[in-house]
């Protein structure tokens, strides 16, 4: 409860009556903020693959769909490393893992050991915004300082749900009447510690913040305020669908097991090099899965559990969607929806049985590809119905018959074709410069090759030209190949063959790095090369394995053709491009222009 009541009181007392000296000092220290700068609501989801309805997936997500219909969806977006801390540090600093030297969840704090890199929320805070964090935004632990990069990134201490730590304790009811640390954990919420769950608590808290910020705004409009009303940058991180699958049990009813689909390629790919395999140890360590005695390292998970895991993942996702719907409805109730840019993104994907794999920890697109959408008021929602109607009314999937019957009846994928979309290659490091431009802030310069001494720069690009191109396209879709030539991801390994720490090797144990590139002309190419964990440098001459997937003929990445002799010239070309790196792949168009 340390930060729970604290942040609420700071906002209620400090922002409303200005008696709190910390907030008062923060407010008085800010320069004037231009009136046309919008608020920003930064939403990040943990382990969400593009299985949601608006991306053609099976998960019921009516509130995300509603947001998507008033946003631009980027359908070809990739995380820079599919692991929580490396990905979040990367997109929150707009620097790649080889720059932050963050390769695992318990890595060293980048400010102490690499460079004093400015973060996305810090950039807004220093521009006069009120910046606050709720839930999982940065990854918890020393990798981000003593508390989620506070005080650098935030105006007040981050909020963490008091029930968060119970997710790592025995709170899952079992058939034996005892509590367990299980993978599968549908619960009666009232029976849980404190009678609630982390995402519910975090949502409740941010709704209070919306309410109190609206009171400050209204006092300013009435001339009763004694302080300026600042625009806000509020970041909220949802914990679900990250395992364990602990969610309100009623959401399980939406997904009868007989309606759950099987992964389209639920088999081991014999062409995959052993170094590319992740043994999904986090799944194996849960009590209910440990009891199965899965063969190491390849499994497989028994067919029954293949469906059970997918069912639980979908139910957890729909639960998260409901809480997100509450957040969006609260934003509107507080009167901020028409002046708030909303960014919705996942930190990385999650394998749901594809290639016989589970979890993340690989360079497959199922691990690295993420849903990403941007709502820009008055831009991405033009012509969307009667302006008098609410933008974001809460949609409850448990109450809407059409949603329930879709699953219980034929189980068909939602036919979602509303809103704007772009299939240009996008990377999560593009978030920082894009949100800066959308808020009418200067876009930080592109980082030099050695940026350890440069506090504020980016390795991503501003995406507003893609939004502009999509708006000008009568079909509402952008198929631009004039954008990035490639998107880049990577993942470390301790050895050529799988071992228990292959999913999350510590820096001292990393000896191989898999550098991966998805190209605009339809290839996914990877080189697993020797890696020096002292200097954090790769050796391109020490190639342990290669992967090449031709996406036009093999979109599911089942057949590695890197060693096919007829592909020799292609492999050499792609290898040269991979070695040139992300700078060679930057778009030719001017990508620092404002959106008009």
């Amino acid at each position: 409860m340390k930060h729970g009541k604290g942040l609420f009181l700071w906002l209620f007392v400090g922002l409303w009556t200005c008696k709190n000296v910390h907030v008062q000092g923060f407010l008085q220290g800010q320069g004037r903020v231009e009136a046309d700068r919008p608020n920003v609501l930064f939403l990040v989801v943990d382990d969400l693959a593009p299985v949601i309805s608006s991306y053609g997936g099976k998960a019921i997500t009516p509130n995300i769909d509603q947001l998507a219909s008033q946003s631009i969806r980027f359908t070809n977006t990739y995380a820079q490393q599919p692991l929580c801390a490396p990905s979040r540090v990367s997109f929150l600093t707009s620097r790649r893992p080889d720059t932050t030297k963050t390769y695992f969840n318990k890595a060293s704090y980048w400010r102490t050991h690499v460079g004093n890199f400015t973060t996305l929320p810090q950039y807004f805070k220093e521009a006069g915004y009120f910046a606050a964090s709720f839930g999982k935004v940065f990854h918890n632990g020393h990798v981000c300082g003593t508390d989620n990069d506070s005080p650098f990134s935030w105006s007040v201490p981050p909020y963490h749900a008091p029930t968060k730590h119970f997710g790592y304790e025995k709170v899952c009811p079992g058939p034996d009447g005892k509590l367990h640390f299980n993978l599968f954990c549908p619960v009666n919420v009232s029976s849980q510690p404190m009678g609630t769950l982390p995402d519910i608590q975090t949502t409740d808290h941010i709704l209070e913040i919306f309410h109190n910020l609206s009171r400050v705004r209204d006092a300013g409009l009435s001339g009763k305020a004694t302080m300026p009303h600042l625009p806000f940058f509020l970041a909220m991180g949802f914990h679900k669908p990250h395992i364990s699958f602990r969610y309100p049990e009623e959401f399980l009813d939406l997904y009868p097991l007989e309606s759950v689909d099987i992964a389209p390629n639920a088999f081991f790919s014999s062409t995959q090099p052993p170094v590319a395999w992740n043994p999904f140890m986090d799944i194996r360590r849960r009590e209910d899965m440990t009891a199965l005695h899965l063969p190491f390292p390849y499994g497989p998970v028994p067919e029954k559990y293949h469906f059970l895991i997918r069912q639980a993942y979908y139910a957890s996702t729909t639960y998260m969607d409901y809480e997100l719907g509450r957040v969006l409805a609260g934003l509107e109730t507080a009167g901020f929806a028409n002046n708030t840019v909303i960014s919705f993104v996942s930190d990385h994907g999650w394998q749901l049985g594809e290639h016989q794999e589970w979890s993340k920890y690989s360079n497959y697109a199922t691990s690295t590809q993420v849903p990403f959408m941007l709502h820009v008021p008055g831009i991405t929602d033009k012509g969307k119905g009667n302006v008098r109607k609410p933008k974001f009314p809460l949609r409850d999937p448990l109450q809407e018959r059409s949603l329930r019957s879709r699953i219980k009846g034929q189980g068909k994928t939602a036919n979602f074709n509303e809103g704007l979309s772009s299939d240009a290659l996008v990377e999560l490091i593009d978030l920082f410069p894009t949100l800066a431009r959308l808020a009418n802030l200067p876009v930080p310069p592109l980082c030099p090759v050695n940026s350890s001494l440069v506090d504020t720069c980016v390795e991503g690009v501003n995406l507003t030209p893609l939004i502009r191109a999509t708006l000008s396209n009568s079909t509402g879709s952008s198929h631009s190949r004039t954008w990035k030539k490639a998107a880049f991801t990577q993942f470390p390994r301790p050895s050529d063959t799988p071992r228990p720490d292959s999913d999350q090797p510590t820096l001292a144990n990393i000896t191989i790095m898999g550098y991966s590139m998805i190209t605009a002309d339809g290839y996914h190419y990877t080189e697993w090369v020797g890696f020096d964990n002292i200097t954090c440098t790769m050796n391109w001459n020490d190639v342990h394995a290669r992967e090449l997937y031709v996406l036009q003929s093999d979109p599911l990445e089942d057949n590695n053709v890197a060693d096919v002799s007829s592909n020799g010239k292609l492999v050499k070309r792609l290898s040269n491009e991979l070695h040139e790196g992300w700078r060679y792949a930057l778009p030719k168009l001017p990508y620092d222009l404002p959106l008009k």
Side-chain angles (χ1 to χ4, degrees), residues 156-172:
V156 291
Y159 170 81
H160 306 289
T163 56
K164 174 64 177 69
H165 71 278
F166 292 115
Y168 297 93
E169 298 183 6
K170 294 185 177 184
V171 292
C172 306

Side-chain angles (χ1 to χ4, degrees), residues 51-57 59-71 73 321 324 328 344 373 392 395 403 406 414-416 418-419:
V51 299
I52 55 183
S53 307
S54 50
Y55 280 76
I60 301 174
T61 51
N63 294 290
I64 298 174
D65 295 349
Q66 187 169 245
L67 175 63
S69 70
Q70 301 180 63
S71 303
R73 287 175 298 124
D321 175 84
L324 180 140
L328 295 178
F344 174 88
M373 59 189 73
F392 304 119
R395 297 189 64 189
L403 297 172
R406 199 192 84 218
N415 180 23
F416 184 91
E418 297 181 73

